[in-house]
């Protein structure tokens, strides 16, 4: 679904790379958790996959399409929830979702049904006709998730999606991520909440100072550490402390 | 390329951004009561009418100037010179504004990170941004040029070529300055050391100079009125220059000839072909790697700039509390070009005008005009009154809390008394406007050869009057700040608090002028004694305004 091969990214004239020689692959039907301390390179990696940043070296493909040369095809396959939700705030949520549906060529007959379905799922149904500027942080986050889902992408990419969500919405999002992968589609998300990653992810990748220091299933990581009863949080702290 | 995508992007960008909505000071929310809705609607209509009145008076002033140029042109043998100058003026100003809007729309739009992840081609995105760029400048270009059409019709009568040329001029001619602005912008953003601030700062300096030079020229025209002997003298001196200009500047020459020349069709064709060439060239230049440029600019704006180990005063220095607040005040102003244009413009334009008037000789003519007043004993007081008016009528403090916008919530969390904020804001105001008052005063003492001893009362009087202006402004804005703005212009230009503060400052100067008159005329004191005595009431007014400002700040910063 996603292949990242020997990708390096530097910002401006900085001597240090934000992401260095990163390689990983995401297979269809998996939920991949991307973990790492602040400034490790998680968001930079995500922004390269969705086409917000371009890598200096290496290649990234989504569904076989190169992110630098086939940008439109790649973007059509992705549903992206950024770390900070961004909208045309003077639109109502309904207008904004219609706009997204038109851009992604969602068939007319399916549009309203999908908007209403996803809005109901995230309890936004009653405020669809309100201006987005009147939404709270959590409501904007939920609208961001609905926006990413409404065009039925092949790959869902979420950057810290749990931030700002109430417990019920966080629970629904986890359910949705599971359902999403059942049809062979994939989820790639970054998080600082280790419990979520532990329970939800098929595999996790841990990035530190721009390099991938671990990438496997939770149980494989436990086995590799030699202690079968460590939580993901403990493993994460152990690995990142060692690397420091 | 899908035209539907371009249509969608234009619709999305235009949402809630109509001219009318830009006038709106406070949104009409459904939750508000009907009476408040009505009163707000009245305010909006008043503001809209005021803006239309201002635009109308500007168009009239331009019309008078264009008319004089038409007469000047007929003296030096250029028929339709008003059209020529109208085209040049509209193009120059549109070019400067295009530098701002082009930068914001094409490269720094707040919605670009949102659009970059959508399945859109570079071309679709670029074309939608170019149309927005055109839309943003079309209205102003039209307002600047229409008076020239009115003059042409008034002088030459209405004709088919004039109508066609006017339509072409209004719709097609903006492509020239906008294409040029695209080329300059492209060169700026391609530069390795490019920053948005550096580009905007150059554009502001260039535009202020341009506006002031135009104002200087306009004052000269208005001053000479319709006196044709003055124009004849001018034509004798500058006729060759004007004819040379008309030969060199091909675009306005073709535009003029298209409307009023003997070969209007051929000139129109030349003009259209040249516009097409320059527009296609500019678009081609920008289109090469537009997506990469936008991504690179976005990338650099979201990453922390390293200081390569150099020590930075902002990290190591220890500042007095008020100085930190002053620095914060200027940081807020420097954040938006709309704030910078308004506030630095208020402070600096009079200063540049004085320089322009001095260079152009207008100031000498003022001196001659003021000769009868100059002999009056109260002349130093009259000069001081005029200088105080220039330095006190400003939006700086009357919009200070409003400019903070949503960040005011952050100020509320700071462990500071309201008085500390007022001190910081007043100091920021004095730094900008009292310093310019000091420069004006020293210039006035020198130009009008006033005795230096007058400085003894002019300086403290100015301090208290400008200080009162700051405090009254803070008192007004502190009671009802406009924090919910979306466009920075709404916090300053369209903020009624600023206008109210200017009104009170005007009243303050009027009271001081009245007291000064009482002391000098019925009582018969000298200008020096009257000036010295005026310092006391001005200090009292400042004290009163200070109290009002502090009480306003206390209420504003307390828990709500």
């Amino acid at each position: 679904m996603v292949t990242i091969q020997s990708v390096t990214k530097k910002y401006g004239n900085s001597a240090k790379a934000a992401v260095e020689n990163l390689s990983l692959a995401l297979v269809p039907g998996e939920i991949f958790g991307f973990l790492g301390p602040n400034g490790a390179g998680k968001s930079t990696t995500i922004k390269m996959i969705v086409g917000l940043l371009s890598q200096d070296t290496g290649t990234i493909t989504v569904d076989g399409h190169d992110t630098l040369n086939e940008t439109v095809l790649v973007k059509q396959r992705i549903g992206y929830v950024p770390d900070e939700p961004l909208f045309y705030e003077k639109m109502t949520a309904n207008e904004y979702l219609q706009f997204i549906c038109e851009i992604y060529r969602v068939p007319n007959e399916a549009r309203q049904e999908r908007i209403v379905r996803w809005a109901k799922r995230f309890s936004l149904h009653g405020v669809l006709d309100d201006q987005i500027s009147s939404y709270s942080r959590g409501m904007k986050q939920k609208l961001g998730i609905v926006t990413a889902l409404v065009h039925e992408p092949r790959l869902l990419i979420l950057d810290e999606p749990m931030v700002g969500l109430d417990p019920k919405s966080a629970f629904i999002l986890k359910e949705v991520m599971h359902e999403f992968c059942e049809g062979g589609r994939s989820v790639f998300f970054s998080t600082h909440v280790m419990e979520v990653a532990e329970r939800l992810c098929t595999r996790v990748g841990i990035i530190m100072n721009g390099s991938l220091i671990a990438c496997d299933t939770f149980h494989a990581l436990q086995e590799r550490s030699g202690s079968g009863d460590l939580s993901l949080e403990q493993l994460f702290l152990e690995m990142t402390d060692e690397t420091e | 390329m899908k035209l539907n995508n371009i249509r969608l992007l234009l619709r999305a960008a235009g949402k809630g951004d109509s001219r009318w909505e830009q006038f709106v000071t406070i949104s009409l929310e459904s939750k508000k009561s009907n009476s408040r809705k009505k009163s707000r609607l009245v305010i909006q209509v008043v503001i809209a009418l005021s803006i239309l009145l201002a635009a109308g008076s500007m168009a009239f002033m331009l019309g008078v100037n264009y008319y004089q140029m038409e007469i000047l042109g007929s003296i030096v043998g250029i028929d339709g010179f008003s059209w020529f100058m109208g085209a040049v003026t509209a193009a120059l100003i549109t070019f400067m504004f295009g530098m701002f809007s082009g930068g914001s729309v094409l490269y720094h739009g707040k919605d670009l990170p949102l659009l970059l992840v959508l399945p859109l081609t570079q071309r679709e995105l670029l074309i939608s941004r170019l149309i927005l760029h055109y839309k943003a400048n079309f209205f102003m270009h039209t307002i600047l040029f229409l008076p020239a059409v009115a003059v042409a019709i008034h002088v030459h009568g209405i004709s088919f070529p004039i109508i066609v040329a006017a339509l072409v001029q209004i719709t097609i001619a903006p492509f020239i300055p906008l294409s040029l602005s695209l080329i300059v912008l492209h060169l700026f953003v391609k530069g390795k050391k490019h920053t948005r601030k550096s580009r905007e700062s150059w554009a502001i300096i260039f535009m202020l100079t341009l506006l002031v030079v135009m104002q200087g020229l306009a004052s000269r025209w208005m001053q000479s009125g319709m006196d044709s002997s003055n124009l004849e003298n001018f034509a004798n001196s500058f006729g060759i220059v004007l004819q040379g200009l008309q030969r060199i500047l091909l675009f306005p020459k073709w535009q003029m000839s298209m409307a009023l020349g003997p070969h209007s069709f051929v000139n129109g064709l030349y003009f259209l072909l040249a516009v097409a060439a320059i527009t296609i060239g500019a678009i081609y230049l920008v289109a090469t790697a537009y997506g990469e440029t936008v991504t690179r600019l976005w990338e650099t704006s979201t990453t922390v700039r390293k200081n390569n180990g150099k020590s930075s005063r902002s990290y190591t220095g220890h500042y007095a509390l008020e100085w930190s607040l002053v620095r914060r005040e200027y940081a807020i102003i420097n954040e938006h070009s709309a704030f910078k244009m308004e506030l630095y413009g208020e402070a600096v334009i009079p200063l540049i005008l004085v320089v322009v008037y001095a260079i152009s000789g207008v100031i000498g003519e003022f001196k001659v005009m003021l000769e009868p007043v100059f002999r009056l004993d109260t002349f130093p007081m009259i000069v001081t009154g005029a200088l105080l008016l220039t330095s006190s009528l400003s939006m700086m403090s009357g919009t200070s809390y409003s400019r903070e916008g949503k960040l005011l919530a952050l100020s509320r969390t700071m462990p500071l008394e309201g008085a500390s904020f007022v001190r910081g804001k007043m100091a920021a105001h004095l730094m900008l406007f009292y310093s310019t008052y000091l420069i004006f005063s020293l210039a006035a003492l020198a130009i009008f050869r006033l005795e230096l001893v007058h400085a003894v009362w002019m300086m403290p009087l100015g301090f208290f009057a400008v200080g009162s202006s700051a405090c009254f402004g803070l008192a007004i804005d502190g009671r009802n700040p406009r924090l919910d703005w979306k466009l920075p212009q709404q916090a300053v230009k369209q903020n009624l608090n600023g206008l109210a503060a200017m009104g009170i400052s005007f009243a303050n100067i009027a009271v001081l002028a009245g007291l000064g008159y009482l002391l000098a005329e019925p009582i018969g004191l000298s200008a020096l004694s009257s000036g010295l005595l005026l310092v006391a009431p001005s200090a009292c007014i400042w004290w009163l305004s200070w109290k009002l400002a502090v009480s306003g700040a206390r209420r504003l910063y307390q828990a709500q």
Side-chain angles (χ1 to χ4, degrees):
Chain A
M1 179 65 74
V2 180
T3 56
I4 300 176
Q5 209 150 27
S6 312
V7 164
T8 297
K9 172 74 190 170
K10 280 182 188 175
Y11 283 114
N13 297 325
S14 171
K16 199 179 169 308
V19 171
E20 193 156 25
N21 201 24
L22 179 74
S23 295
L24 63 89
L26 190 65
V27 295
E30 81 168 327
I31 300 180
F32 189 89
F34 204 41
L35 316 176
N38 295 329
K42 299 187 297 297
S43 291
T44 301
T45 307
I46 285 179
K47 280 168 184 157
M48 285 191 287
I49 302 173
V50 299
L52 273 173
L53 294 177
S54 53
Q55 65 270 26
D56 300 330
T57 57
T59 53
I60 302 175
T61 60
V62 175
D63 241 2
H65 299 288
D66 186 86
T67 53
L68 293 184
N69 300 319
E70 297 166 287
T71 47
V72 175
L73 288 174
V74 168
K75 288 171 184 178
Q76 267 165 353
R77 283 158 172 75
I78 294 176
Y80 169 54
V81 181
D83 47 354
E84 280 178 42
L86 192 61
F87 307 99
Y88 287 108
E89 300 226 346
K90 283 171 187 165
M91 285 184 173
T92 64
N94 199 17
E95 285 171 332
Y96 182 72
L97 290 168
Q98 291 283 358
F99 164 72
I100 291 293
C101 285
E102 287 204 49
I103 290 280
Y104 282 90
R105 302 275 174 275
V106 176
N108 274 343
E109 55 280 9
R111 255 176 224 176
Q112 203 53 36
E113 180 274 320
R114 282 196 208 171
I115 290 173
V116 171
R117 172 160 49 92
W118 285 114
K120 269 187 179 164
R121 189 88 189 256
F122 284 94
S123 312
L124 287 176
H125 185 53
V127 289
L128 274 181
D129 290 323
D130 288 1
Q131 244 187 25
I132 299 173
S133 58
S134 68
Y135 277 25
S136 69
R137 171 72 170 84
M139 286 161 81
K140 282 182 183 169
Q141 183 70 6
K142 288 195 277 187
L143 180 61
I145 296 165
V146 172
T147 303
L149 290 164
V150 79
H151 60 93
E152 299 196 338
R154 300 270 305 136
L155 171 68
L156 189 59
I157 297 182
L158 308 100
D159 199 352
E160 312 275 2
M162 304 296 170
V163 175
L165 292 184
D166 57 60
K168 187 183 167 199
S169 305
F171 177 77
I172 292 169
L173 176 61
K174 283 182 265 181
E175 266 185 357
V176 166
M177 285 160 82
H178 261 305
E179 290 164 17
F180 188 85
C181 293
E182 279 165 11
R185 297 180 293 179
S186 308
V187 175
F188 184 101
F189 80 109
S190 73
T191 184
H192 287 298
V193 190
M194 295 297 142
E195 291 79 11
V196 171
E198 188 177 322
R199 261 184 259 155
L200 205 62
C201 296
T202 323
R203 283 190 306 147
V204 292
I206 299 177
I207 188 169
M208 175 89 184
N209 296 328
S211 301
L212 197 66
I213 56 171
C215 182
D216 219 324
T217 62
F218 170 52
H219 294 296
L221 291 176
Q222 274 180 326
E223 278 172 25
R224 202 186 304 166
S225 75
S227 168
D229 57 352
L230 283 183
S231 67
L232 182 59
E233 186 176 33
Q234 287 165 318
L235 281 170
F236 175 83
L237 291 174
E238 208 171 74
M239 284 179 189
T240 50
D241 278 349
E242 272 172 23
T243 315
E244 265 180 338
Chain B
M1 189 173 69
K2 290 174 182 131
L3 289 178
N4 190 44
N5 280 353
I6 297 172
R7 184 184 62 80
L8 284 170
L9 290 174
L10 292 174
R11 212 172 61 188
K15 185 77 188 168
D17 207 20
S18 67
R19 298 270 169 216
W20 172 251
E21 277 162 302
Q22 286 183 29
F23 292 146
V24 171
T25 49
I26 305 150
S27 65
L28 291 168
E29 289 163 30
S30 54
K31 292 165 196 162
K32 302 284 189 277
S33 68
N34 275 339
S35 62
R36 284 189 81 184
K37 266 189 194 176
K38 274 181 193 161
S39 69
R40 282 171 183 181
L41 192 63
V42 170
I43 291 170
Q44 286 158 23
V45 170
V46 169
I47 289 177
L49 287 176
S50 312
I51 292 171
L52 283 177
L53 191 71
S57 59
M58 193 185 89
F60 176 75
M61 201 187 82
L62 276 171
V64 171
N65 282 282
Y66 292 157
Y67 183 67
Q68 296 238 332
M69 285 169 197
E70 185 67 34
I71 298 170
L72 187 67
S74 66
I75 295 170
V76 297
I78 309 170
D79 231 13
F81 195 53
S82 62
W83 198 286
F84 181 91
M85 287 309 289
V88 171
T89 309
L92 268 176
I93 295 182
T94 307
F95 168 74
M96 290 318 305
F97 277 95
M99 290 286 290
F100 287 105
S101 70
S104 306
V105 171
L106 266 88
Y107 298 110
H108 298 284
K110 283 186 179 164
D111 56 343
L112 280 172
L114 184 155
L115 300 176
L116 286 172
V117 297
L118 299 180
L120 300 163
T121 61
Q122 267 193 46
R123 208 177 289 172
E124 287 162 0
L125 190 59
L126 174 64
I127 289 176
S128 72
R129 304 315 271 191
L130 289 174
I131 294 171
L132 289 175
H133 182 40
Y134 176 82
K135 242 178 94 180
N137 293 284
F138 171 80
F139 183 71
M140 191 188 54
H141 185 274
T142 306
I143 284 281
L144 288 168
F145 185 72
L146 269 184
V149 178
V151 170
I153 291 173
H154 174 69
V155 175
H156 301 276
I158 195 156
S159 66
F160 182 68
I162 286 185
I163 294 171
V164 174
L167 289 174
V168 169
Q169 175 68 39
I170 288 167
T171 52
I172 311 281
F175 284 118
I176 309 164
L178 295 179
S179 298
L180 290 175
S181 72
L182 284 184
I183 294 169
V184 177
L185 272 170
H186 178 77
L187 297 176
F188 261 114
V189 297
K190 279 282 168 191
K192 282 188 177 167
K193 287 186 176 171
H194 161 265
T195 62
R196 187 181 181 174
K197 269 193 177 164
S198 68
R199 175 168 50 78
E200 286 191 344
S201 303
W202 279 112
I204 284 174
I205 290 167
F206 191 64
M207 193 162 74
L208 284 179
T209 315
L210 183 72
L211 286 175
V212 167
V213 169
M214 284 181 63
Q215 176 65 38
L217 289 172
S219 318
R220 258 202 160 279
W221 292 123
M222 298 293 268
Q223 192 190 345
S224 60
M226 300 291 170
D227 184 357
S228 58
S229 63
N230 261 348
L231 288 173
E232 274 165 21
N233 291 338
F234 191 86
N236 287 335
S237 314
F238 295 101
I240 297 167
V241 177
L242 297 179
Q243 283 164 338
L245 271 180
Q246 191 248 345
R247 268 196 302 274
I248 298 164
L249 300 174
L250 286 176
F251 276 107
K253 183 189 165 186
W254 285 327
Q255 286 162 270
M256 180 182 77
S257 305
M258 185 170 45
L260 299 157
H263 308 292
S264 46
F265 179 74
V266 176
N267 282 300
L269 202 63
Y270 283 156
F271 174 70
L272 290 176
L273 287 173
V275 172
I278 195 170
T279 308
I280 291 168
I283 293 175
Y284 178 77
L285 194 70
V286 176
T288 51
Y290 171 68
E292 285 100 276
T293 311
V294 172
T295 309
R296 180 172 57 80
L297 292 173
W298 179 78
E299 198 179 300
T300 46
S301 71
T302 53
T303 53
V304 180
R305 204 171 295 142
K306 311 271 184 216
N307 70 349
N308 296 326
K310 287 176 203 156
S311 67
S312 165
R313 273 161 56 84
S314 56
Y315 293 116
T316 56
H318 294 280
Y319 297 101
L321 171 67
E322 280 73 16
W323 180 230
S324 299
L325 291 172
V326 169
R327 281 157 49 91
R328 188 190 68 142
E329 199 66 17
Y330 282 103
I332 293 170
I333 293 172
N334 292 334
E335 211 164 293
H336 297 284
S337 48
F339 294 170
K340 284 196 276 188
M341 287 277 289
E342 184 70 33
L343 303 174
Y344 296 149
E346 278 175 357
V348 175
I349 284 182
L351 209 62
I352 304 176
L353 269 182
V354 170
V355 176
V356 172
Y357 286 161
I359 294 167
S360 63
V362 175
I363 221 158
E365 288 165 24
F366 278 160
K367 267 177 85 173
V368 175
M369 275 165 59
L370 290 171
E371 201 65 43
V373 192
F374 190 65
R375 293 195 199 96
L376 292 175
D377 185 42
T378 48
F379 184 67
M381 295 172 73
I382 295 169
V383 170
T384 308
L387 296 182
L388 281 178
L389 267 184
T390 314
S391 304
S392 299
L393 300 186
S394 115
M395 293 261 189
M396 175 89 172
S397 291
T399 59
S400 183
Y401 296 112
S402 300
R403 285 195 303 270
E404 288 189 41
K406 287 172 184 166
L407 284 177
L408 192 86
L410 185 70
S411 302
R412 282 203 179 111
T413 65
M414 293 177 185
L416 296 176
E417 293 289 334
S420 302
F421 286 106
V422 174
R423 267 196 297 274
K425 285 177 185 293
M426 192 183 77
H429 185 114
L430 288 171
M431 269 177 68
L432 198 56
F433 289 94
Y434 185 57
S435 55
T436 46
Y437 170 82
L438 287 180
I439 296 169
F440 288 147
S441 307
L442 293 173
L445 287 170
I447 290 167
F448 299 115
R449 297 179 200 285
L450 300 176
E451 288 174 45
L452 271 178
V453 72
H454 287 297
V456 174
W457 61 269
M458 283 169 79
M459 302 305 157
L461 184 67
F463 178 83
F464 289 123
V466 177
S468 308
S469 159
C471 290
F472 280 130
L474 291 172
I476 288 168
D477 199 38
R479 264 158 185 78
N480 186 21
R482 189 175 173 199
L483 305 171
D484 60 345
W485 48 269
K486 305 283 185 300
L487 301 164
Q489 288 92 330
Q490 291 171 327
V492 187
K493 260 196 169 57
Q494 297 165 27
N495 189 343
L496 287 180
N497 290 346
L499 286 177
M502 284 166 84
I504 292 197
S505 296
F506 182 80
N508 179 28
I509 305 297
V511 167
L512 289 174
L515 284 173
Y517 176 79
L518 279 178
L519 291 169
E521 288 299 327
I523 300 173
L525 293 177
S526 69
L528 181 63
S529 313
S530 305
L532 282 170
L533 284 174
L534 270 183
V535 175
S538 71
C540 290
I541 295 173
W542 171 77
W543 181 81
L544 175 74
S545 67
W546 167 263
K547 288 280 172 199
L548 287 171
V550 170
S551 96
R554 204 170 286 148
R555 203 171 319 149
L556 187 67
Y557 287 109
Q558 75 192 6
Q560 311 224 328

